[in-house]
Amino acid sequence: MSLGREAVQVSTVSEVDVWDILQKAPPSEYEKIAFQYGITDLRGMLKRLKKMKKEEKKSAAFLKKLDPAYQVEKGHKIKLAIEVANPNAEVKWLKNGQEIHPSGRYIFESIGNKRLLTLNHCSLADDAAYTCVIGDEKCFTELFVKEPPVLILRNLEDQMVMKGERVEFECEVSEEGAPVKWEKDGVELTREEAFKYRFKKDGRKHVLIINEVTKEDCGHYTVKTNGGESMAELLVQEKQLEVYQSIADLTVKAKEEAVFKCEVSDENVKGIWYKNGVEVKLDARTHITHIGRIHKLAIDDVKPEDEGDYTFVPEGYAFNLSAKLSFLEVKIDYVPRQDPPKIHLDCAGHTAESTIVVVAGNKLRLDVPITGDPAPTVVWTKSEKGMSRKPKSDQSTDVEFIADLVKDGEVITNADGRVHVESTKGHCIFTIEGAERQDEGVYSVIVRNPAGEDTADITVKVVDVPDPPQAPKILSVCEDSCVVTWEPPLFDGGQPVMGYVLERKKKKSYRWMRLNFDPYKELTYEAKRMIEGVAYEMRVYAVNAIGMSSHSPASLPFVPIAPTSEPTGLSVDDISDTTISLKWRAPDRMGSVPLDGYKIEYCKEGSDEWIPAFEGLTDRNSIIIRDLPTGEKMQFRVRAYNMAGPSEPASLAKAVTIQEIMQRPKIWIPRNLRQTLVKKVGETINLVIPFQGKPRPKVTWTKDGEPLDPKQVSIRNSDTDSILFIRKSDHKDTGVYEVQVQIENVEDKANVTIQIVDLPGPPQNLKIMDVWGFNVALEWKPPKNNGNCDITGYTIQKADKKTMEWFNVFEHYRRTNCVASDLIMGNEYIFRVYAANMVGLSLEPCFSKDSAYIQKTGIVYKPPVYKEYNFLEAPKFTHPLVSRSVIAGYNATLSCSVRGIPKPKVTWYKNKMDISNEAKYRMFSKQGVLTLEIRKPCPFDGGVYMCKAINDSGEDTVECKLEVRSPVTKEDTKK
């Protein structure tokens, strides 16, 4: 999100616009609107802006004042601009009543009549009231500094830990030191729980630390800022130790090495080795090692006393791993010379089929006792007959020599270094280092000497972990879960698959979370506790007795979502003999993905065969279904669709009969046509009159009781409205238009009054009535044509006959006579008058027939003699005092008005006692209006108040009663 470096006055979400929105909304919606636009101090903002609205008035010093409010984002700059009437005027700027002086943050500019105050790098301290002062005049504004939204740049990661471990949830925000809020399952985590939770802040990083987690700490953790939020899930598992490779029984001969090896899931787990229940002690021949997850017990130079049951017991766990060590004694009978060779395979631990099982990666050692004199020659061969894995071709007779002979005790090995053949007296040993799957098969050993030969077959089976399964597939998704399925691995490793382990992760995360610890035997799994609207991926491991395979490829990303709730407000909007119009509102719960559309279906009453109204989906909230059977009762329903599928249907409460319903005709006159419609001559008139009625009513228009002229007026009627159109209006179009809609004997009427106005004609008979000094008295008559509306005034102009330049004497003058003053001596003037109405000035003026000459000084003017008039008048109250009932504790006022010449003296009385000098009362007098203010009255201030006015011509009084009531308390309300 990019932000500009310079803030401008906000026009869409400023507090001034919020003020305008609040004026149109009911008071119950104020808090909701304020929260929507980020207004925290709603009451204070309303008071300030109301005060500014009241104080707006014309100013002599300011051509343009400050706007009522400005808004700027934190860290940006803003300019406050005014225009002054005097370019040389001195301007002062105040902030919260304190004068501002120019600095790096406050810059004053003067450009012609403009004065600008620039605030750089605005902070929360600049959120204040600003005043511009020119002399005694002031203008005010409010500056609101808005903090930019704090965005979450790195989201929280899901975590799965063992009980007792330490957990850290870490996120990164866009602003250093910004406040964040941590929640668990919607409940805020506070610092009062410091013994359980720790909150760490490092620059833009925020960390939530949970020490020694328990099962109760499972849940969804959320970090929130004013610009977003991030959620992650914590799963806590009891510590369960998994055995990846158990120890196996061993059969060894004297002088050989016996190695017991096992692998467990936790590399920190220690263990103890036992022999026949007694702990094994270290000595020169016995070695115990622990490297990572692998534990080994090695016994060198095996002796018969080493035979027994060996057990490995992990510390802290109630199970053990056991295996048996068998000691092989080779008995060689004495044979005479030239004895034919013989192979002795009656070894303990071999199956009847002479099958040897070895785990992939371990050493394969075939130690075959042989006899013969002279010493026989040994040849090893391998055949793939009897293998558990089928070869790629149908032929399985491939025979391969693995090693050559051993002669005179010399060891001959093959080239790759993994296969070794050696011979000792009475033994032939075949060894493969790190057995692999291709080493599986039937091995034949052939011994020959001059006395004959002997052959033996040994079947070797290599077992391994399974191949990874194929990528899993998502069958379905719900609001917080999904159903995943997969295929078994192509190769089970030579051991049956015991089950599967599943993992999931968020698409944008790198951390995989295990969903089950015990192998799951089925091929379909329901994964739960996911966050709706977040993309996830799944993968699977296969497990057999040897261990766990590598993971499968990840599934295609999917999003847990739920269908929307059913649409609301399904209703019939209109109906005819073959069609029906339905409308509805969007579902209350939309979910986290957009709505794809709606599907509408219908069926006959009593049937369950729903027929789609159209193919596909519609994104509209209304529809017209056509070609329905007349008179049939039909059921209708609508479903909302999103990525998760259809919602529950919304149906009509009962079946609808497809038949047109009789509806009384009714005309709906628009609000703007309920008063006289005023249009200028030449303007277009387009009246749209909506109505209702079924079947379609007959519409008739008349003007002043006469039919309309089709050449001048056009009429267009539809099922729901009638339009009257006049392309170019004229005076004769003025009148009362009546529209009538009728269905059989039922009708409705309505009137629309149209007034066509035009410019007025010129005034009539402008005369110069008198000339004296520098003054001229003029008189004229109103125009004959007033333009079909009232004359609003006149414009009087004068011109010197020498220059004939016209200048205004009066504008918007309402009378038909006036006196033009301040004329220049020695000049001769002519005059003209324009008439004005709501359209404008008349096109032509009325000129004076005569001219007025202003005589030079020296000419004696004899003023007329007037009879002296007595202006004295006794006081008289033109508006009396009114009796009132007020609430105690709130200021009250009593007002009246009086006239009299000379100005009368006013005295106020309470219960006939003079209260002029009491501090509790304040008296005001302005333009004859008298006001008595009673400050915070109490019940004792009630009584009869009298106002008395006296001058030299007489006096007058007026009085009223004042009742002071106690305020109503909560206890009074309960009573």
Side-chain angles (χ1 to χ4, degrees):
M1 175 176 166
S2 61
L3 299 172
R5 296 309 304 164
E6 180 172 348
V8 296
Q9 180 188 349
V10 176
S11 60
T12 56
V13 292
S14 69
E15 277 70 10
V16 179
D17 292 320
V18 176
W19 160 259
D20 294 334
I21 294 171
L22 291 175
Q23 286 184 313
K24 301 175 183 177
S28 59
E29 298 290 329
Y30 282 5
E31 293 290 341
K32 181 179 179 181
I33 295 173
F35 177 78
Q36 179 181 355
Y37 290 97
I39 305 300
T40 55
D41 186 11
L42 175 62
R43 183 171 298 178
M45 186 203 75
L46 291 175
K47 287 183 178 180
R48 291 191 297 269
L49 292 180
K50 282 183 180 179
K51 181 179 178 182
M52 292 177 186
K53 294 285 184 182
K54 292 180 181 179
E55 291 179 353
E56 289 182 358
K57 59 181 181 180
K58 290 187 177 180
S59 170
F62 293 94
L63 295 179
K64 180 181 177 182
K65 293 187 176 183
L66 294 169
D67 291 329
Y70 295 83
Q71 182 171 291
V72 64
E73 290 194 359
K74 180 181 176 182
H76 294 184
K77 74 175 181 179
I78 188 171
K79 291 185 178 183
L80 308 182
I82 63 164
E83 290 186 17
V84 297
N86 182 7
N88 299 321
E90 297 246 347
V91 173
K92 288 184 181 180
W93 294 93
L94 308 179
K95 172 183 174 183
N96 288 338
Q98 301 294 321
E99 185 175 355
I100 303 174
H101 299 285
S103 64
R105 293 190 64 245
Y106 302 105
I107 300 175
F108 295 179
E109 296 180 75
S110 177
I111 306 174
N113 285 51
K114 290 186 178 181
R115 300 293 186 271
L116 295 95
L117 169 63
T118 303
L119 287 77
N120 291 317
H121 306 293
C122 291
S123 63
L124 294 180
D126 295 317
D127 190 298
Y130 290 82
T131 308
C132 181
V133 181
I134 302 177
D136 296 332
E137 293 198 29
K138 302 177 181 178
C139 64
F140 306 88
T141 189
E142 258 321 287
L143 177 61
F144 298 93
V145 179
K146 180 181 178 182
E147 290 191 86
V150 179
L151 305 179
I152 298 179
L153 304 180
R154 183 156 56 86
N155 291 320
L156 302 177
E157 297 285 349
D158 293 339
Q159 298 200 42
M160 175 181 289
V161 297
M162 305 304 293
K163 180 179 177 182
E165 292 183 355
R166 168 190 169 110
V167 176
E168 292 188 5
F169 285 106
E170 181 179 309
C171 72
E172 185 176 349
V173 298
S174 58
E175 185 175 341
E176 187 171 338
V180 301
K181 182 169 72 172
W182 292 92
E183 293 181 356
K184 180 198 173 201
D185 296 330
V187 179
E188 184 177 0
L189 303 177
T190 62
R191 296 189 180 274
E192 296 176 1
E193 304 174 77
F195 66 96
K196 185 66 179 177
Y197 303 105
R198 286 179 52 208
F199 305 96
K200 182 179 177 182
K201 185 187 298 185
D202 183 11
R204 297 190 298 179
K205 291 183 179 179
H206 293 261
V207 183
L208 170 63
I209 302 173
I210 310 175
N211 292 312
E212 298 183 0
V213 295
T214 62
K215 294 289 286 184
E216 289 75 18
D217 295 320
C218 290
H220 290 88
Y221 288 80
T222 308
V223 59
K224 292 184 177 181
T225 68
N226 62 356
E229 63 179 49
S230 176
M231 179 183 292
E233 184 181 8
L234 174 62
L235 297 178
V236 180
Q237 296 287 342
E238 296 286 351
K239 288 188 177 181
Q240 296 180 355
L241 191 66
E242 297 183 46
V243 179
Y244 293 156
Q245 180 179 345
S246 183
I247 58 179
D249 294 341
L250 298 177
T251 301
V252 295
K253 297 186 298 184
K255 304 292 185 178
E256 291 184 346
E257 180 186 22
V259 178
F260 291 102
K261 173 185 173 184
C262 67
E263 183 178 0
V264 295
S265 59
D266 191 349
E267 63 183 17
N268 297 320
V269 170
K270 298 180 181 180
I272 302 175
W273 292 89
Y274 294 89
K275 174 190 174 186
N276 296 329
V278 179
E279 184 177 351
V280 176
K281 303 296 183 182
L282 298 178
D283 55 29
R285 293 189 306 111
T286 305
H287 310 285
I288 297 176
T289 59
H290 173 202
I291 302 175
R293 298 182 299 187
I294 298 176
H295 298 260
K296 285 186 180 181
L297 170 63
I299 305 174
D300 298 333
D301 193 12
V302 175
K303 299 179 179 179
E305 57 267 24
D306 295 325
E307 190 173 40
D309 293 326
Y310 287 82
T311 304
F312 175 74
V313 179
E315 289 185 0
Y317 295 91
F319 71 93
N320 57 62
L321 307 175
S322 299
K324 185 177 182 179
L325 175 63
S326 300
F327 183 76
L328 177 63
E329 291 188 43
V330 181
K331 297 180 180 179
I332 303 177
D333 298 329
Y334 172 76
V335 293
R337 297 277 181 184
Q338 297 292 324
D339 191 15
K342 185 173 179 60
I343 299 174
H344 304 272
L345 282 180
D346 54 343
C347 305
H350 293 176
T351 64
E353 296 81 8
S354 299
T355 300
I356 303 296
V357 179
V358 62
V359 177
N362 290 355
K363 179 191 294 186
L364 171 62
R365 180 185 176 94
L366 302 179
D367 191 344
V368 180
I370 59 174
T371 57
D373 194 9
T377 300
V378 182
V379 176
W380 289 87
T381 62
K382 176 193 174 188
S383 172
E384 294 189 357
K385 289 182 180 181
M387 291 176 58
S388 61
R389 294 178 66 190
K390 294 182 180 181
K392 294 182 180 179
S393 64
D394 293 336
Q395 299 178 355
S396 58
T397 58
D398 185 23
V399 178
E400 179 183 5
F401 283 94
I402 300 301
D404 271 325
L405 62 94
V406 177
K407 183 177 180 182
D408 297 333
E410 297 181 5
V411 180
I412 302 176
T413 65
N414 70 338
D416 67 0
R418 288 195 313 116
V419 180
H420 306 274
V421 177
E422 60 180 319
S423 180
T424 60
K425 187 177 181 181
H427 290 274
C428 178
I429 303 171
F430 178 80
T431 305
I432 300 179
E433 298 287 348
E436 299 175 356
R437 291 184 187 176
Q438 58 266 29
D439 296 328
E440 188 176 89
V442 179
Y443 289 81
S444 300
V445 56
I446 304 172
V447 292
R448 297 188 183 95
N449 70 1
E453 69 177 34
D454 192 8
T455 302
D457 291 338
I458 303 173
T459 301
V460 175
K461 182 178 181 181
V462 180
V463 294
D464 197 359
V465 296
D467 285 347
Q470 297 297 316
K473 298 179 181 178
I474 308 301
L475 294 182
S476 63
V477 293
C478 295
E479 183 177 1
D480 60 351
S481 63
C482 75
V483 177
V484 60
T485 186
W486 61 92
E487 296 294 332
L490 298 177
F491 176 59
D492 61 4
Q495 294 287 323
V497 175
M498 300 167 56
Y500 301 89
V501 174
L502 291 91
E503 291 182 339
R504 76 161 187 238
K505 79 172 183 70
K506 295 176 182 176
K507 183 180 178 182
K508 296 182 179 180
S509 175
Y510 60 88
R511 187 190 301 252
W512 288 89
M513 291 186 60
R514 184 164 295 183
L515 302 182
N516 63 304
F517 287 92
D518 297 328
Y520 183 77
K521 297 182 180 181
E522 305 296 331
L523 296 175
T524 302
Y525 182 83
E526 182 180 7
K528 300 181 179 180
R529 295 175 63 85
M530 289 188 281
I531 303 172
E532 184 179 7
V534 177
Y536 287 90
E537 294 176 341
M538 303 282 290
R539 68 185 186 187
V540 185
Y541 297 83
V543 181
N544 63 6
I546 305 305
M548 188 163 60
S549 70
S550 58
H551 61 76
S552 70
S555 69
L556 294 176
F558 65 95
V559 179
I561 53 175
T564 68
S565 59
E566 69 275 5
T568 59
L570 177 62
S571 61
V572 178
D573 191 32
D574 195 8
I575 190 170
S576 69
D577 288 339
T578 59
T579 65
I580 187 171
S581 176
L582 301 175
K583 62 180 181 179
W584 61 90
R585 295 191 299 274
D588 292 333
R589 181 179 57 81
M590 300 295 291
S592 58
V593 293
L595 190 68
D596 293 336
Y598 301 94
K599 176 173 283 189
I600 296 85
E601 299 172 313
Y602 63 88
C603 72
K604 294 183 179 180
E605 186 180 29
S607 172
D608 57 357
E609 182 180 353
W610 290 93
I611 303 172
F614 52 86
E615 294 184 1
L617 303 176
T618 178
D619 56 358
R620 300 175 57 189
N621 288 75
S622 61
I623 187 176
I624 298 177
I625 305 176
R626 307 181 186 276
D627 302 326
L628 296 174
T630 304
E632 193 73 49
K633 287 189 174 182
M634 308 291 288
Q635 286 279 6
F636 297 88
R637 70 183 187 185
V638 59
R639 295 174 183 264
Y641 281 73
N642 66 2
M643 189 186 300
S647 68
E648 292 295 323
S651 305
L652 293 175
K654 57 183 180 180
V656 180
T657 302
I658 307 303
Q659 183 177 353
E660 192 165 36
I661 302 172
M662 174 67 178
Q663 187 180 32
R664 286 183 61 88
K666 177 68 176 177
I667 299 175
W668 305 100
I669 294 295
R671 186 182 298 273
N672 64 312
L673 298 180
R674 295 177 188 175
Q675 299 175 348
T676 300
L677 178 65
V678 179
K679 290 285 186 178
K680 297 179 183 179
V681 171
E683 289 185 343
T684 299
I685 299 176
N686 189 23
L687 306 183
V688 180
I689 308 298
F691 59 81
Q692 68 179 28
K694 289 186 179 180
R696 180 173 175 174
K698 178 183 177 182
V699 183
T700 305
W701 284 86
T702 59
K703 176 195 170 190
D704 298 329
E706 300 293 332
L708 301 180
D709 182 5
K711 295 181 180 179
Q712 176 68 12
V713 182
S714 300
I715 302 295
R716 185 191 65 79
N717 299 322
S718 70
D719 293 340
T720 57
D721 58 34
S722 180
I723 298 177
L724 181 145
F725 180 77
I726 302 176
R727 185 174 301 278
K728 192 174 182 181
S729 59
D730 198 357
H731 283 296
K732 62 184 178 181
D733 295 321
T734 299
V736 178
Y737 290 77
E738 181 183 78
V739 58
Q740 173 183 313
V741 292
Q742 182 176 1
I743 301 176
E744 296 179 356
N745 296 328
V746 184
E747 64 179 25
D748 190 21
K749 297 180 180 179
N751 294 330
V752 178
T753 303
I754 299 178
Q755 180 181 358
I756 307 300
V757 298
D758 197 2
L759 295 173
Q764 302 293 313
N765 197 17
L766 175 59
K767 295 180 180 180
I768 298 176
M769 304 301 295
D770 195 5
V771 179
W772 73 97
F774 305 106
N775 308 306
V776 175
L778 302 174
E779 188 175 294
W780 62 92
K781 293 182 180 180
K784 293 181 179 180
N785 177 18
N786 63 359
N788 201 25
C789 58
D790 294 336
I791 298 296
T792 60
Y794 299 91
T795 297
I796 300 93
Q797 295 180 337
K798 65 181 179 181
D800 183 4
K801 292 188 70 174
K802 297 177 182 177
T803 62
M804 290 304 295
E805 293 184 9
W806 292 96
F807 299 93
N808 285 348
V809 178
F810 295 105
E811 289 183 295
H812 308 296
Y813 192 77
R814 301 299 297 269
R815 299 180 183 178
T816 56
N817 54 75
C818 71
V819 175
S821 304
D822 299 328
L823 301 179
I824 299 175
M825 181 177 60
N827 288 355
E828 186 176 0
Y829 291 91
I830 59 174
F831 299 89
R832 66 183 183 185
V833 179
Y834 290 89
N837 63 7
M838 61 183 298
V839 182
L841 292 176
S842 59
L843 295 177
E844 297 292 334
C846 176
F847 292 91
S848 60
K849 295 181 180 180
D850 302 324
S851 61
Y853 179 73
I854 308 302
Q855 295 182 358
K856 296 183 179 181
T857 57
I859 299 176
V860 179
Y861 170 72
K862 295 182 179 180
V865 179
Y866 297 100
K867 183 179 179 181
E868 186 175 353
Y869 182 78
N870 183 15
F871 290 96
L872 298 178
E873 181 181 359
K876 181 176 179 60
F877 285 94
T878 59
H879 190 282
L881 291 172
V882 178
S883 298
R884 294 191 58 190
S885 176
V886 299
I887 299 174
Y890 296 88
N891 290 358
T893 58
L894 301 176
S895 299
C896 60
S897 61
V898 67
R899 59 180 295 176
I901 301 176
K903 181 178 179 181
K905 177 182 178 184
V906 177
T907 308
W908 287 89
Y909 299 87
K910 173 193 172 186
N911 296 332
K912 298 185 179 180
M913 299 293 294
D914 189 353
I915 58 175
S916 300
N917 297 322
E918 293 192 20
K920 187 176 185 68
Y921 303 96
R922 289 201 301 175
M923 294 80 170
F924 303 95
S925 175
K926 185 175 182 180
Q927 301 292 332
V929 177
L930 309 178
T931 304
L932 173 66
E933 180 183 0
I934 307 171
R935 300 181 180 178
K936 296 184 179 180
C938 62
F940 299 103
D941 293 319
V944 178
Y945 286 81
M946 182 177 68
C947 183
K948 186 175 184 180
I950 303 174
N951 68 2
D952 294 339
S953 299
E955 66 178 43
D956 194 10
T957 61
V958 66
E959 63 181 25
C960 71
K961 290 184 180 181
L962 177 67
E963 179 187 357
V964 181
R965 294 179 285 112
S966 300
V968 179
T969 63
K970 293 184 178 179
E971 289 74 10
D972 297 334
T973 304
K974 293 180 180 178
K975 292 179 181 179

